[in-house]
Amino acid sequence: MLAIAQFGAGRIGAIHAGNVAANARARLAHIVDVNREAAEALARRVGATVATAEAALADPAVGAVIIASSTDTHADLIIRAAGAGKAIFCEKPIDLALARVDAALAAVQTAGVPLMVGFNRRFDPDFSLLHAAIAAGRIGRVEQVVITSRDPGPPPLDYIRVSGGQLRDMTIHDFDMARWLLGEEPVEVFAYGAALVDAAIGAAGDTDSLMLLLKTASGRMAHINNCRRASYGYDQRIEVFGSEGRLIAGNRLESTVELADARGQTAARPMHFFLERYAEAYRIELDAFIDAVTEARPVPVDGSDGRQALLLADCAARALAEGRPVRIPPR
Amino acid sequence: MLAIAQFGAGRIGAIHAGNVAANARARLAHIVDVNREAAEALARRVGATVATAEAALADPAVGAVIIASSTDTHADLIIRAAGAGKAIFCEKPIDLALARVDAALAAVQTAGVPLMVGFNRRFDPDFSLLHAAIAAGRIGRVEQVVITSRDPGPPPLDYIRVSGGQLRDMTIHDFDMARWLLGEEPVEVFAYGAALVDAAIGAAGDTDSLMLLLKTASGRMAHINNCRRASYGYDQRIEVFGSEGRLIAGNRLESTVELADARGQTAARPMHFFLERYAEAYRIELDAFIDAVTEARPVPVDGSDGRQALLLADCAARALAEGRPVRIPPR
Amino acid sequence: MLAIAQFGAGRIGAIHAGNVAANARARLAHIVDVNREAAEALARRVGATVATAEAALADPAVGAVIIASSTDTHADLIIRAAGAGKAIFCEKPIDLALARVDAALAAVQTAGVPLMVGFNRRFDPDFSLLHAAIAAGRIGRVEQVVITSRDPGPPPLDYIRVSGGQLRDMTIHDFDMARWLLGEEPVEVFAYGAALVDAAIGAAGDTDSLMLLLKTASGRMAHINNCRRASYGYDQRIEVFGSEGRLIAGNRLESTVELADARGQTAARPMHFFLERYAEAYRIELDAFIDAVTEARPVPVDGSDGRQALLLADCAARALAEGRPVRIPPR
Amino acid sequence: MLAIAQFGAGRIGAIHAGNVAANARARLAHIVDVNREAAEALARRVGATVATAEAALADPAVGAVIIASSTDTHADLIIRAAGAGKAIFCEKPIDLALARVDAALAAVQTAGVPLMVGFNRRFDPDFSLLHAAIAAGRIGRVEQVVITSRDPGPPPLDYIRVSGGQLRDMTIHDFDMARWLLGEEPVEVFAYGAALVDAAIGAAGDTDSLMLLLKTASGRMAHINNCRRASYGYDQRIEVFGSEGRLIAGNRLESTVELADARGQTAARPMHFFLERYAEAYRIELDAFIDAVTEARPVPVDGSDGRQALLLADCAARALAEGRPVRIPPR
């Protein structure tokens, strides 16, 4: 049974800890968090002990770590965990600075440990079915990808200020999906963005509304649209158009109940919150990490995937700032 | 070109006349109606002359008649038109009394003229596609049929009093659909009914809400539900369940536009009115009549279909009155 | 924390035990099953001990029992558990014989213990939302209920022979839903049935295909259709039609992914298996039982609900056998 | 009654002529076409005479012209019709060269005659309902527009070579829709394009697959995707996202019939051909022209709309050729 030390006892940490607890092949040994109270509450809930980072990493029984602490601690923890020879699961993004991502990846490579990056959407049952249908040739050759990703409401301004910006914080998921579904690396990106939802977000130097285009060497194209606010809930749809068909993964609705009355036929809203919408994805994701480590197989999403999505975000940010398409440097 | 004399210049007469006018193989020669003004207006619109019944039937150029006058005139007009050797299209029902239907069918048989009965729904593109899919074996052997048929609002009480009752006026369409889709004659019928919409309808001795069951000799079953009022529009759906699949023909909506907002996702209502909902069905129906007469082929819905649907309505009325299932006499 | 003894370690027992284990207000103390191996495996999984019925009921720490053993043991276990003063959750049906149901209910009444019957569908999030929408007046006065309930495939003949027949085994759920949604007791039932799926089911004296009608004193109507086999999966839909609108709860699909290609637009199938389709319902149901017992509130579905659904099944069986509608005796 | 002379007796000409014939306020006086046979066949069908352009324009009874001839004749015919004082309906595009468009518009202005340009999609019932819902404030302030427009199959290469390219031939409709729905003029356009469907189209210097972005001065954004081939039919969808909601106009399907079987739930394909999909739009469009001319009111889509859509296409072509966003010159 894989013993795991987890860094971070916040919202996403609680999700991962619960999923470890439900996995028969793993157990949580230690919880590390600067917020002692949160660490204790979570540790109690999943039968772990509260520990310092040093103690957790020094524990020879620990085979893997989950890094779910604040983004600015990720790279450092990866380097230390790699140094301790632990398998690593790290929440996205690895870091907001490409140089620090590269330093972390170098440490991982030197140590020869597995590093999995938390792009949970790849594990969403609908999106993975869609990906499998492409792989099975159901739509022929992929030509166009359209990704719609809108949050129900913007995070607090305090969060936005340290988030790395909408492209690195929110669109990064969509960059990963676009790469995964295009089946070919994007070579160029273009972006329009504005603060249409909240002028204060604009004043903070960020956007809340985005439209992007990506293209690959063979001419495949992707469009991503984002908004920090959707009045009707969490809007997460993907369309992939190919030479022989089109796949669409729609929103999961809150219920199947429809009301017909004089105003029309009203169906439920999309599930409102990402933790609910992607609950299964988070569970399957962590199971996949535990399986890969336990069976010494490659992790399904690795450090280079984390780096590439950040690189796309960086290039898109430059495209947005400079008003021109930006080439993506080859890997 | 087939010259047609039409009896009846009311709402449904106007539909048929317009469809004849749009058919390149036929023309309207005469319009007959006790309401002289209505006859003249319609005749002017489609380039016909106003005539008496005698004159219209005596015109040797006339090859066919359309009977779209009030129900109590149908049987007599059929008998006279048959006597004059004309091909006959008659709106449903042939008559409200089975004996008079039989007299009319006997006259038709003696004269050897074609008689088509206006069960327009068989010609609705969705329902005929559904029927064709069954015939093509797409769902294996038919086992259960569920027909939902609800009007947007009840007709005037004056109409209800002479309509023959909900079963003969409204359900008769569904009886015809059930026979057509079951692929086997019903041998028994059972019915529940009540006046839930308007007590005045109950006071007039009629129902406005019905649920029926039919069964066939081999055990196939059908359910029909009816209501004289649906707050959300005209509800016309059919489900056919078979050994290898299920077919559903849904409502045609007023538009494809959907609004997502804080209340949910709202689609358009079903088309509200039968003349709009079944506009194509009426056109295709009349084209089929004109084609059959012109090419001397059998009409697709004949007098025995009209008789059998009325017989089912009669048996259902007895079932309702006596609170027991009623056997359908064999044809 | 409520200590629970569970009778039955089979498929449905495993579901309930898992749900108790996940509920913070309860724990499983004992598992009782004639199959010692199954009892031990389940006990190990949820941290309970294997016990005899006697020992489990004699344990003063035990506050409640879950009866998930074979149907023929239910009534006896209810009587013994009531005698021991335990709160009782019993899987449907209480018994296949009304007299034994009455004996069990009498014992419960004498003992003054709560008895909840496992009509899990009332706790399905979609169906309970639909029920809440009716209660909130969203469709005005209920007039018609249409329940479609088709299994993916028939159970083994050995099971069918001891099941009490399709009406008592399968339709009993729909009788409960019809009562719950009509908002008024049915006063009469009529039924058609046949063995269209498998002649061997007919030879065993049972049906596999059913269509039923129910009516209430005020004229409300319900239709239920059932089949033991649906090629496309588990078909569980409910429509409630009222004076001001219509509610439909549709099937939960295996995914939201749709493929458009030359053949059309293909969506996923309904979830295939009842344990998956109703997983949430089972969890919410048991949480409701535990909450009611813990807080000394009435259980949401009680013994009289279990009795009434069986009574409807009995009357429907008589209607089917005698080919006539059967009155439901007043409660 | 408005007498109309029509230039062009081809596919689209036949549509317009049929719509004039069905309009009670207008009649077709003359049909002009270099293909004498086509002109005669159409003239016979709608009761017009075949005439030369000179004769048609010299006929003082003629109040309006419909220009549905090949694109290279449009500007010249507009100038001549304006000179003759006729109201003008011209199929899109006015011309492929902006300078000639400007010359035509100048002639129209000098003559003071109305000029309506055939952007039929504005008159599609779904799209006009969507536009009306925006105008009624149903989604608050418009922020993002997503237009999907894919043809079932590419036109012949011979046509493509003289079409002005995909942007001027196909996307021009979407540029008009984007302007109309954004409620604000685009100020910049960016485009990716490739020949993914047919290399011969690429060899002819054109694209068959496009993804574009537009932005307005206030930061609103639009995405257009196009393809010359969709295996599943004619894909015409519009999504408009606003501060308080989202509107989607979906495809009109060939039927409402859905088949559920072991493979899933299969709905019909989108209507396959633009003449069928937009039949109502063409009729409503021409009725609007006839009404405007008859009642001396402004036409709903005028020459400047035609010019602006072409200008967007020109700018997009430059963006595509130069790999950079291109500013739209102010009107």
Side-chain angles (χ1 to χ4, degrees):
Chain A
M1 190 177 262
L2 182 65
I4 296 178
Q6 179 173 308
F7 299 86
R11 191 168 63 177
I12 192 68
I15 299 293
H16 290 315
N19 287 327
V20 173
N23 186 305
R25 307 177 95 177
R27 67 183 178 86
L28 268 179
H30 309 290
I31 301 285
V32 183
D33 200 300
V34 290
N35 180 335
R36 180 85 196 180
E37 211 170 322
E40 275 172 358
L42 185 57
R44 203 175 312 119
R45 190 152 74 73
V46 297
T49 64
V50 172
T52 61
E54 292 68 31
L57 291 173
D59 182 349
V62 165
V65 301
I66 292 172
I67 303 175
S69 45
S70 63
T71 296
D72 58 347
T73 66
H74 289 186
D76 184 51
L77 286 171
I78 288 174
I79 292 167
R80 291 166 68 186
K86 313 300 189 193
I88 304 164
F89 176 93
C90 183
E91 262 306 312
K92 68 92 212 170
I94 297 175
D95 196 275
L96 295 175
L98 207 58
R100 287 171 57 82
V101 171
D102 285 337
L105 297 198
V108 165
Q109 181 149 24
T110 302
V113 294
L115 166 63
M116 178 162 161
V117 176
F119 284 126
N120 58 300
R121 290 184 197 172
R122 292 201 190 192
F123 301 92
D124 175 74
D126 291 338
F127 297 156
S128 63
L129 185 67
L130 184 148
H131 187 262
I134 296 170
R138 303 291 291 274
I139 59 165
R141 200 182 52 249
V142 169
E143 295 174 356
Q144 301 190 345
V145 173
V146 176
I147 298 175
T148 297
S149 177
R150 297 170 182 145
D151 285 346
L157 270 175
D158 282 353
Y159 174 83
I160 282 179
R161 285 198 187 92
V162 299
S163 69
Q166 190 182 12
L167 285 162
R168 286 182 194 86
D169 180 55
M170 181 174 174
T171 322
I172 196 165
H173 279 293
D174 307 305
F175 286 129
D176 183 62
M177 293 307 281
R179 290 182 60 229
W180 190 50
L181 295 169
L182 281 167
E184 206 182 283
E185 285 297 329
V187 296
E188 196 179 283
V189 61
F190 183 76
Y192 283 141
L196 300 177
V197 174
D198 186 349
I201 293 175
D206 202 358
T207 57
D208 52 36
S209 303
L210 287 166
M211 277 200 166
L212 297 103
L213 291 186
L214 300 166
K215 76 168 177 188
T216 72
S218 78
R220 301 178 183 197
M221 303 162 220
H223 165 63
I224 296 168
N225 64 62
N226 286 158
C227 187
R228 287 284 197 186
R229 172 264 298 122
S231 62
Y232 48 90
Y234 191 35
D235 194 354
Q236 297 281 299
R237 288 171 291 143
I238 295 180
E239 172 176 350
V240 185
F241 173 80
S243 55
E244 291 168 37
R246 184 194 71 195
L247 288 158
I248 292 184
N251 284 313
R252 296 240 155 204
L253 304 190
E254 288 179 342
S255 95
T256 70
V257 177
E258 292 194 15
L259 169 68
D261 62 14
R263 281 170 311 188
Q265 304 186 129
T266 305
R269 296 183 309 177
M271 286 180 172
H272 201 76
F273 197 46
F274 80 97
L275 290 180
E276 178 194 18
R277 167 67 180 83
Y278 286 121
E280 276 183 282
Y282 282 116
R283 184 181 51 72
I284 297 169
E285 175 187 58
L286 212 64
D287 290 352
F289 172 67
I290 292 166
D291 285 350
V293 173
T294 303
E295 299 165 17
R297 289 187 289 98
V299 292
V301 193
D302 65 17
S304 78
D305 292 312
R307 182 189 194 279
Q308 205 65 15
L310 181 68
L311 179 60
L312 282 167
D314 281 359
C315 292
R318 205 153 66 240
L320 192 57
E322 301 178 7
R324 61 173 186 87
V326 169
R327 300 293 295 179
I328 319 299
R331 298 174 82 173
Chain B
M1 189 177 263
L2 182 65
I4 296 178
Q6 178 171 309
F7 298 86
R11 191 168 65 177
I12 193 69
I15 299 294
H16 290 316
N19 287 328
V20 173
N23 186 305
R25 307 177 94 177
R27 65 181 181 88
L28 269 179
H30 309 291
I31 301 285
V32 183
D33 200 300
V34 290
N35 180 336
R36 179 89 196 178
E37 208 171 324
E40 274 172 359
L42 185 58
R44 201 176 314 119
R45 190 152 73 72
V46 296
T49 64
V50 173
T52 61
E54 291 69 29
L57 291 173
D59 181 349
V62 165
V65 301
I66 292 173
I67 303 175
S69 45
S70 63
T71 297
D72 57 348
T73 65
H74 289 187
D76 184 50
L77 286 171
I78 288 174
I79 291 167
R80 291 168 67 187
K86 312 300 188 194
I88 305 164
F89 177 92
C90 182
E91 262 305 312
K92 66 92 208 166
I94 296 176
D95 195 277
L96 295 174
L98 207 59
R100 288 172 55 81
V101 170
D102 286 337
L105 298 197
V108 164
Q109 183 149 21
T110 302
V113 294
L115 166 63
M116 178 161 161
V117 175
F119 283 128
N120 58 299
R121 291 186 196 171
R122 292 201 191 192
F123 301 91
D124 174 74
D126 291 339
F127 298 156
S128 64
L129 186 67
L130 184 149
H131 188 263
I134 295 170
R138 303 292 292 274
I139 59 165
R141 199 183 53 249
V142 169
E143 295 174 357
Q144 301 190 345
V145 173
V146 176
I147 298 175
T148 297
S149 177
R150 297 169 183 145
D151 284 346
L157 271 176
D158 282 352
Y159 175 83
I160 282 181
R161 285 197 188 93
V162 299
S163 69
Q166 190 181 11
L167 285 162
R168 286 182 193 85
D169 180 56
M170 182 175 174
T171 322
I172 197 164
H173 279 293
D174 307 305
F175 286 128
D176 183 62
M177 293 307 280
R179 290 181 61 228
W180 189 51
L181 295 169
L182 281 167
E184 206 181 281
E185 285 297 328
V187 296
E188 196 179 283
V189 62
F190 183 76
Y192 283 141
L196 300 176
V197 173
D198 186 350
I201 293 175
D206 202 0
T207 57
D208 51 37
S209 301
L210 287 166
M211 278 201 166
L212 298 103
L213 291 186
L214 299 166
K215 76 169 176 189
T216 71
S218 78
R220 299 179 184 196
M221 302 163 221
H223 165 63
I224 297 168
N225 63 62
N226 285 158
C227 188
R228 287 282 197 187
R229 171 265 297 122
S231 62
Y232 48 89
Y234 192 37
D235 194 355
Q236 297 281 300
R237 289 170 291 144
I238 295 180
E239 171 174 349
V240 185
F241 174 80
S243 55
E244 291 168 35
R246 184 194 70 196
L247 289 159
I248 292 183
N251 284 313
R252 296 241 154 203
L253 305 190
E254 287 178 344
S255 94
T256 70
V257 177
E258 293 194 15
L259 169 68
D261 62 14
R263 281 169 310 186
Q265 303 187 128
T266 305
R269 296 184 307 175
M271 286 179 173
H272 201 75
F273 197 45
F274 80 96
L275 291 180
E276 178 193 17
R277 168 65 180 86
Y278 286 121
E280 276 184 281
Y282 282 116
R283 184 180 51 71
I284 297 170
E285 175 187 54
L286 213 64
D287 289 352
F289 172 67
I290 292 166
D291 286 350
V293 173
T294 304
E295 299 166 18
R297 289 188 288 99
V299 291
V301 193
D302 65 17
S304 78
D305 292 312
R307 183 190 194 279
Q308 204 65 16
L310 181 68
L311 179 60
L312 281 167
D314 281 359
C315 293
R318 204 151 68 241
L320 193 58
E322 302 177 7
R324 60 173 186 87
V326 169
R327 300 293 294 181
I328 319 298
R331 299 177 81 172
Chain C
M1 189 177 263
L2 181 66
I4 295 178
Q6 178 172 308
F7 299 84
R11 192 168 63 177
I12 192 70
I15 299 293
H16 291 316
N19 287 327
V20 173
N23 185 305
R25 306 175 95 177
R27 67 183 178 87
L28 268 179
H30 309 291
I31 302 285
V32 183
D33 199 301
V34 290
N35 180 336
R36 180 88 196 177
E37 212 170 322
E40 274 172 359
L42 184 57
R44 203 176 313 120
R45 191 153 72 73
V46 297
T49 64
V50 171
T52 61
E54 291 70 30
L57 291 172
D59 182 349
V62 165
V65 300
I66 292 172
I67 303 175
S69 45
S70 62
T71 296
D72 57 348
T73 66
H74 289 185
D76 184 51
L77 286 170
I78 288 173
I79 292 167
R80 291 168 69 186
K86 312 300 187 192
I88 304 164
F89 176 91
C90 182
E91 262 306 312
K92 67 93 209 168
I94 296 176
D95 195 276
L96 296 174
L98 206 59
R100 287 172 56 82
V101 170
D102 286 337
L105 298 198
V108 164
Q109 182 149 23
T110 302
V113 294
L115 166 63
M116 177 162 163
V117 175
F119 284 127
N120 58 298
R121 291 185 196 172
R122 292 201 191 191
F123 302 91
D124 175 74
D126 291 339
F127 298 155
S128 63
L129 185 67
L130 184 149
H131 187 263
I134 296 170
R138 303 291 292 274
I139 58 166
R141 199 182 54 251
V142 169
E143 296 174 355
Q144 300 190 344
V145 173
V146 176
I147 299 174
T148 297
S149 176
R150 297 171 183 144
D151 283 347
L157 270 175
D158 282 354
Y159 174 83
I160 282 179
R161 285 199 188 92
V162 300
S163 69
Q166 190 181 9
L167 285 162
R168 286 182 193 87
D169 181 55
M170 183 176 173
T171 322
I172 196 164
H173 278 293
D174 307 306
F175 286 128
D176 183 63
M177 294 306 282
R179 289 182 62 228
W180 189 50
L181 296 168
L182 281 167
E184 205 182 282
E185 285 297 329
V187 296
E188 196 180 283
V189 62
F190 183 76
Y192 283 142
L196 300 176
V197 173
D198 186 350
I201 292 175
D206 201 359
T207 57
D208 52 37
S209 302
L210 287 165
M211 278 200 165
L212 298 104
L213 292 186
L214 299 166
K215 74 168 177 189
T216 72
S218 78
R220 300 179 183 195
M221 303 162 221
H223 165 65
I224 297 168
N225 63 62
N226 286 158
C227 188
R228 286 283 197 188
R229 171 265 298 123
S231 62
Y232 49 89
Y234 192 36
D235 195 354
Q236 298 280 301
R237 289 170 290 144
I238 294 180
E239 172 176 349
V240 185
F241 174 79
S243 55
E244 291 169 37
R246 184 194 71 196
L247 289 158
I248 292 183
N251 284 312
R252 295 240 155 205
L253 305 189
E254 287 178 343
S255 95
T256 70
V257 177
E258 291 193 15
L259 169 67
D261 62 14
R263 281 171 309 187
Q265 303 187 127
T266 304
R269 295 184 308 176
M271 287 180 172
H272 201 76
F273 197 45
F274 79 97
L275 291 180
E276 179 194 15
R277 168 67 181 86
Y278 287 121
E280 275 184 281
Y282 282 116
R283 186 181 50 72
I284 297 169
E285 175 187 56
L286 213 64
D287 290 352
F289 172 67
I290 292 166
D291 285 350
V293 173
T294 303
E295 299 166 18
R297 288 187 289 98
V299 292
V301 193
D302 66 17
S304 77
D305 292 313
R307 183 189 194 280
Q308 205 66 16
L310 181 68
L311 178 60
L312 282 167
D314 281 359
C315 292
R318 206 152 66 241
L320 192 57
E322 302 177 6
R324 60 174 186 88
V326 169
R327 300 292 297 179
I328 319 298
R331 300 175 81 171
Chain D
M1 189 176 262
L2 182 65
I4 296 178
Q6 179 172 309
F7 299 85
R11 190 167 65 177
I12 193 70
I15 299 295
H16 290 316
N19 287 327
V20 172
N23 185 306
R25 307 177 93 175
R27 65 182 179 89
L28 268 179
H30 309 290
I31 302 285
V32 183
D33 200 300
V34 290
N35 180 337
R36 180 87 196 179
E37 209 170 325
E40 275 171 359
L42 185 57
R44 203 175 315 120
R45 191 152 74 71
V46 297
T49 64
V50 172
T52 62
E54 291 68 30
L57 291 173
D59 181 351
V62 165
V65 301
I66 292 172
I67 303 175
S69 46
S70 63
T71 297
D72 58 348
T73 66
H74 289 185
D76 184 50
L77 286 170
I78 288 173
I79 292 167
R80 291 168 68 186
K86 312 298 188 194
I88 305 165
F89 177 91
C90 182
E91 262 306 311
K92 67 92 209 167
I94 297 175
D95 195 278
L96 296 173
L98 207 57
R100 289 172 55 81
V101 170
D102 286 337
L105 297 197
V108 164
Q109 182 150 24
T110 302
V113 294
L115 166 63
M116 177 161 162
V117 175
F119 284 128
N120 58 299
R121 292 185 195 172
R122 291 200 191 193
F123 302 91
D124 175 74
D126 290 340
F127 297 155
S128 64
L129 185 67
L130 185 149
H131 188 263
I134 296 170
R138 302 292 292 274
I139 60 166
R141 199 183 52 250
V142 169
E143 295 174 356
Q144 302 190 344
V145 173
V146 176
I147 298 175
T148 298
S149 177
R150 298 170 182 145
D151 284 346
L157 271 175
D158 282 353
Y159 175 83
I160 282 179
R161 285 198 187 93
V162 300
S163 69
Q166 189 182 11
L167 286 162
R168 286 182 193 85
D169 180 55
M170 181 174 175
T171 322
I172 197 165
H173 279 293
D174 308 305
F175 286 128
D176 183 63
M177 293 307 281
R179 289 182 62 229
W180 189 50
L181 295 169
L182 281 167
E184 206 182 282
E185 284 297 329
V187 296
E188 195 179 284
V189 61
F190 183 75
Y192 282 142
L196 300 177
V197 174
D198 185 350
I201 293 176
D206 201 359
T207 57
D208 51 37
S209 302
L210 287 166
M211 278 199 166
L212 298 103
L213 291 185
L214 299 166
K215 76 169 177 188
T216 72
S218 78
R220 300 178 183 197
M221 303 161 220
H223 165 62
I224 297 167
N225 63 63
N226 286 159
C227 187
R228 286 284 197 186
R229 172 265 297 123
S231 62
Y232 49 91
Y234 192 36
D235 194 354
Q236 297 281 300
R237 288 171 291 143
I238 295 180
E239 172 175 349
V240 185
F241 174 80
S243 55
E244 291 168 36
R246 183 195 72 197
L247 289 159
I248 292 184
N251 284 313
R252 295 240 155 203
L253 305 190
E254 287 178 344
S255 94
T256 69
V257 177
E258 292 194 16
L259 170 68
D261 62 14
R263 281 170 310 186
Q265 303 186 129
T266 305
R269 295 184 307 177
M271 286 179 174
H272 201 76
F273 197 45
F274 80 97
L275 291 180
E276 178 193 16
R277 168 67 180 84
Y278 287 121
E280 276 184 280
Y282 282 115
R283 184 180 52 72
I284 297 169
E285 175 187 56
L286 213 63
D287 289 352
F289 173 66
I290 292 167
D291 285 351
V293 173
T294 303
E295 300 165 17
R297 289 187 291 98
V299 292
V301 194
D302 66 16
S304 78
D305 293 311
R307 183 191 194 280
Q308 204 66 14
L310 181 68
L311 179 60
L312 282 167
D314 281 358
C315 292
R318 203 151 69 242
L320 192 58
E322 301 176 8
R324 61 173 186 88
V326 169
R327 300 294 294 181
I328 319 298
R331 299 176 83 171

